[in-house]
Amino acid sequence: MSIEIGMKHTVELTVAPENTAKVVGSGELEVFATPMMAALMEKAAYMAIAPSLPEGDSSVGCELKISHVSATPVGMTVRAEAEVTAVEGKMIHYSVKAYDERGLIGEGTHVRALVHSDRFLERTNNK
């Protein structure tokens, strides 16, 4: 496994009604929901390192600190970017940013932990 500082990934989605604050329950307006932006950022982060992980290993999100600085309407495309900024043992640190067609809408940091999928699920299911 070789996870290195600078590894990046970008994901996009077109904001649909099911991605709005009104539908996901984080507000009452029909704008791109903060929880959906967070999920898109996490997807970019996990995909940045997924090809480098051995079969049977994965990563799980354990910390996300973000700001959501601009609203995005339904129909506009949102792009989330994640870049590895540090590797500390099993902990992978990222810079995350999200943009719509007009510019920056959110940014922050994210930490993911490397796990062995089967052992992780076994411990979780034995709660």
Side-chain angles (χ1 to χ4, degrees):
M1 166 178 53
S2 179
I3 298 173
E4 299 176 3
I5 293 171
M7 295 176 90
K8 297 179 185 181
H9 196 79
T10 301
V11 292
E12 289 186 352
L13 74 79
T14 299
V15 179
E18 60 267 20
N19 308 126
T20 64
K22 185 173 184 174
V23 172
V24 303
S26 64
E28 58 186 41
L29 300 178
E30 292 182 3
V31 296
F32 189 52
T34 302
M36 299 306 298
M37 182 183 75
L40 200 62
M41 289 171 160
E42 283 206 59
K43 182 177 183 178
Y46 104 78
M47 291 181 73
I49 64 168
S52 298
L53 298 180
E55 188 169 332
D57 284 2
S58 189
S59 67
V60 294
C62 53
E63 182 179 296
L64 184 62
K65 296 179 183 178
I66 58 172
S67 60
H68 194 170
V69 299
S70 183
T72 303
V74 171
M76 194 173 271
T77 299
V78 172
R79 179 180 84 248
E81 301 174 350
E83 180 175 356
V84 175
T85 59
V87 179
E88 298 174 351
K90 293 183 178 269
M91 307 305 281
I92 312 301
H93 297 256
Y94 299 84
S95 168
V96 290
K97 294 182 180 180
Y99 302 86
D100 65 19
E101 297 165 27
R102 296 291 179 111
L104 183 73
I105 63 166
E107 62 186 331
T109 60
H110 181 41
V111 180
R112 299 187 71 77
L114 300 176
V115 297
H116 298 289
S117 300
D118 290 341
R119 285 190 295 209
F120 182 85
L121 289 173
E122 182 180 338
R123 283 193 313 271
T124 301
N125 291 331
N126 284 331
K127 281 187 165 186

